[in-house]
Structure formats: C-alpha cells, structure tokens
Amino acid sequence: MTVTIEPITDQLGAVVHGLDLRKPLTPDEVATVDAGMDKYAVLVFHGQDLTDEQQIAFSMNFGEMEGKKGGNIRTEERVNQQINDVSNLDNNNKPFERTDRRRFFNLGNHLWHSDSSFRATPAKYSLLSARSIPSAGGNTEFADMRAAYDALDDAMKAKIDDLVCEHSQIYSRGKLGFTFDDEEIGLMKPVRQSFVRVHPKNGRKSLYLSSHAGRILGWPDPEARLFLLNMLEHGTQRKFVHAHQWQQHDLVIWDNRQTMHRARDYDETQKRDMRRTTVAGEAMTAAQEAA
Ligand code: OGA
Ligand code: MN
C-alpha cells in the first residue's frame, strides 16, 4: 500500500491514507509517519478499529510508553493498564453522574494543555483512539505552538528565551476549583519546564504553554499568572488552531512538544469512549530543583 499524507492546513494537521494500524508497520512506514509528525504535528488516521493491544503496539513504534503514575485520580481499570482512559464512562460503561469527582477531573482536559507537562520528562506523542463518540460536539482542538512562537516580535522572543515555568495538575485543575487530597498532592509536585522549546529534529522553536503552568521562576506570582494567561490567549488565536471533528475509529496522533490541545463540550449523557496511549519524551526541558 502506498502511504500518502494530505495536509489539512499549510502548517498544522494532515490526514494519513494507506495504513492499517492493526498490522505491524515497516520501518519505512514508521519513518513516513514520523516525518509527517515533525512537519504537521497532528496526524489523523480514519477507519482504525483498534483493540487496546493494537493501539499499544502501534504506539511503541515511536518510543517507550509513558507510565501512568500520578496522571489521573481514577483507580479502577476499564481498559488495558497501559492506556489512559479519557472516556466519560465508569466501570459499568455508564456515563459519569454530573457530580462525579472523576468527571470534574476530566473537565481539566477542556483547558488548553500539553500532555504530561506536569512530568519532569514530559510526553512526546499522544495517540487518541475514538472507540465511540457522541452524536454532536466533543471535538478536540489543536493549537500550533511553533506558529505562535514565530508570530512574536523580537523583543518578546528575547524576553521569554530563558524563562522556566512550574507545571502541576494542581495549577490546571485548581483553575476549575478542583481540590486534591494530601496523597494526591504528594504525587503532583510541580516540575520545571522551559517556556521555549526547540524541536530536536527540525530545530523549530515553539512556546511550551499549558494550563498546567502556574508559576514562572523568579517572577512575582500575579505577574506570572497574568503573563501566562496573555500568552495562552496569544497562542490560541483561531489562526493557530485546527478543530478535529471525530468520526468513530479515528486515531489522532499529536506532538506535545509543538502543540497544545483541549476537548470541547458535548452531551455527557452520551458515551464518549476515548483511549489514549502516550509516548514518553526523551529529555527534560529544564534542570529540576534539587530534591
Ligand atoms: C487527552 C485529551 C482531549 C479529548 O486525551 O490527553 O486531552 O478531546 N483529550 O478527549
Ligand atoms: Mn490531553
């Protein structure tokens, strides 16, 4: 089969044709997908009716799987241990009640973010598989952090070049009024991330923004928070955003080093069964605080 990559916009997002992700890929096919990721940062594969095991096997073409510890408050396992359950479903496959704490936690995914920016070594790729989708809404939006960086003037680029932020889920979920118990807080200690990232292969700079970012080292908190809000507003202008409208059995891969994303509203009495595998990053973006 010939693999083709059809751009969605000039810069961000492309649809990949000619691959059956249930089967092992050849090294050439993996290289084609990787090159597509470097260029478009978001790739869409339609018609991929995957099992959890097939999704994991495909994901491992791109690196090690990221561990799940400290990622979610869910304890029960509806899905394979290596999969992040980002559905709205409990263990009986019923949508969460409106007041379910797991639902509140999931609402954090509706804030713009980059996956695992709260880990010292943050994620490389995320792969999200749509097993079932609601009849309307529930898009996932992606924002191009390379374009957002490129659009800044030289004075701003100089100002942000060496900034380091603190990221934690306590900051992102906290914005929604979500509170954590002591044990959870212990797992969610802030980590340090550079504010500007350089892509290891194409050398492009991007803004490493995420709602998990809550402080800037050396800055007063109100000034830092305001700055981060303003940068988030800059980086998510519609000209930098692509909205993915899901079809059942889509698989979408995004590069967390070059993009942010967020989930959009839908009727939560309907099932939205989304499952994510996460490929671990290869390096920290900043030195961590000594323990
Ligand atoms: C995720 C995520 C958004 C969505 O899986 O990391 O943020 O639309 N998902 O479900
Ligand atoms: Mn996410």
Side-chain angles (χ1 to χ4, degrees), residues 164-178:
V164 176
C165 298
E166 278 189 4
H167 293 232
S168 166
Q169 300 205 79
I170 295 169
Y171 298 137
S172 49
R173 262 86 193 177
K175 288 172 189 159
L176 303 181
F178 189 92

Side-chain angles (χ1 to χ4, degrees), residues 83-181:
I83 299 249
N84 283 283
D85 187 355
V86 285
S87 74
N88 64 334
L89 304 173
D90 66 18
N91 255 13
N92 301 314
N93 287 313
K94 293 271 183 311
F96 292 137
E97 297 291 333
R98 187 173 185 185
T99 54
D100 194 305
R101 188 166 182 263
R102 295 167 296 184
R103 171 175 179 259
F104 298 158
F105 186 89
N106 284 352
L107 290 176
N109 282 340
H110 294 233
L111 300 171
W112 284 108
H113 66 282
S114 175
D115 286 335
S116 300
S117 74
F118 52 81
R119 298 186 192 280
T121 300
K124 181 185 174 191
Y125 296 164
S126 294
L127 300 89
L128 193 59
S129 162
R131 306 298 172 86
S132 59
I133 56 170
S135 55
N139 288 354
T140 305
E141 293 186 342
F142 298 93
D144 190 337
M145 293 299 100
R146 308 162 299 181
Y149 176 85
D150 291 345
L152 298 173
D153 63 26
D154 288 344
M156 183 57 93
K157 285 179 181 164
K159 176 175 170 148
I160 64 175
D161 211 32
D162 295 321
L163 292 186
V164 176
C165 298
E166 278 189 4
H167 293 232
S168 166
Q169 300 205 79
I170 295 169
Y171 298 137
S172 49
R173 262 86 193 177
K175 288 172 189 159
L176 303 181
F178 189 92
T179 50
F180 294 94
D181 65 28

Side-chain angles (χ1 to χ4, degrees), residues 8-289:
I8 298 168
T9 73
D10 288 351
Q11 297 254 343
L12 181 69
V15 181
V16 182
H17 303 279
L19 283 178
D20 179 349
L21 306 187
R22 293 171 303 184
K23 301 196 186 126
L25 268 61
T26 65
D28 276 355
E29 288 170 339
V30 174
T32 301
V33 174
D34 253 328
M37 286 299 291
D38 291 344
K39 184 155 186 209
Y40 296 107
V42 177
L43 292 179
V44 177
F45 303 75
H46 295 301
Q48 307 291 339
D49 183 3
L50 303 176
T51 63
D52 288 354
E53 289 69 28
Q54 288 164 341
Q55 183 175 343
I56 291 163
F58 173 62
S59 303
M60 287 174 61
N61 285 310
F62 307 105
E64 304 276 319
M65 302 287 289
E66 185 180 87
K68 282 167 67 176
K69 192 159 179 273
N72 200 303
I73 59 160
R74 284 187 87 128
T75 49
E76 80 281 18
E77 295 291 346
R78 202 179 59 89
V79 301
N80 183 293
Q81 287 282 343
Q82 288 185 284
I83 299 249
N84 283 283
D85 187 355
V86 285
S87 74
N88 64 334
L89 304 173
D90 66 18
N91 255 13
N92 301 314
N93 287 313
K94 293 271 183 311
F96 292 137
E97 297 291 333
R98 187 173 185 185
T99 54
D100 194 305
R101 188 166 182 263
R102 295 167 296 184
R103 171 175 179 259
F104 298 158
F105 186 89
N106 284 352
L107 290 176
N109 282 340
H110 294 233
L111 300 171
W112 284 108
H113 66 282
S114 175
D115 286 335
S116 300
S117 74
F118 52 81
R119 298 186 192 280
T121 300
K124 181 185 174 191
Y125 296 164
S126 294
L127 300 89
L128 193 59
S129 162
R131 306 298 172 86
S132 59
I133 56 170
S135 55
N139 288 354
T140 305
E141 293 186 342
F142 298 93
D144 190 337
M145 293 299 100
R146 308 162 299 181
Y149 176 85
D150 291 345
L152 298 173
D153 63 26
D154 288 344
M156 183 57 93
K157 285 179 181 164
K159 176 175 170 148
I160 64 175
D161 211 32
D162 295 321
L163 292 186
V164 176
C165 298
E166 278 189 4
H167 293 232
S168 166
Q169 300 205 79
I170 295 169
Y171 298 137
S172 49
R173 262 86 193 177
K175 288 172 189 159
L176 303 181
F178 189 92
T179 50
F180 294 94
D181 65 28
D182 288 345
E183 189 186 336
E184 289 164 347
I185 288 170
L187 289 168
M188 292 178 181
K189 292 219 167 59
V191 301
R192 294 180 174 179
Q193 305 292 0
S194 294
F195 190 62
V196 177
R197 295 188 72 163
V198 182
H199 190 277
K201 279 197 265 169
N202 62 29
R204 284 191 73 177
K205 285 190 172 178
S206 56
L207 289 179
Y208 195 28
L209 282 167
S210 184
S211 292
H212 303 309
R215 309 183 78 182
I216 300 174
L217 292 192
W219 284 37
D221 279 338
E223 187 183 342
R225 286 202 200 187
L226 183 64
F227 183 78
L228 290 169
L229 283 171
N230 283 336
M231 292 305 275
L232 205 78
E233 188 176 326
H234 162 76
T236 56
Q237 295 173 68
R238 293 320 288 182
K239 62 184 174 186
F240 303 137
V241 171
H242 165 63
H244 178 70
Q245 188 176 355
W246 291 94
Q247 299 170 24
Q248 189 185 22
H249 299 146
D250 279 351
L251 180 108
V252 176
I253 315 183
W254 61 86
D255 187 342
N256 289 294
R257 304 167 304 183
Q258 312 192 79
T259 59
M260 278 198 294
H261 62 280
R262 65 171 176 179
R264 302 300 276 157
D265 287 347
Y266 60 100
D267 173 358
E268 289 180 59
T269 64
Q270 296 184 26
K271 292 184 182 180
R272 184 173 188 266
D273 189 348
M274 311 293 283
R275 302 186 190 197
R276 194 186 88 208
T277 37
T278 317
V279 177
E282 282 140 19
M284 294 191 287
T285 69
Q288 300 302 311
E289 190 179 18

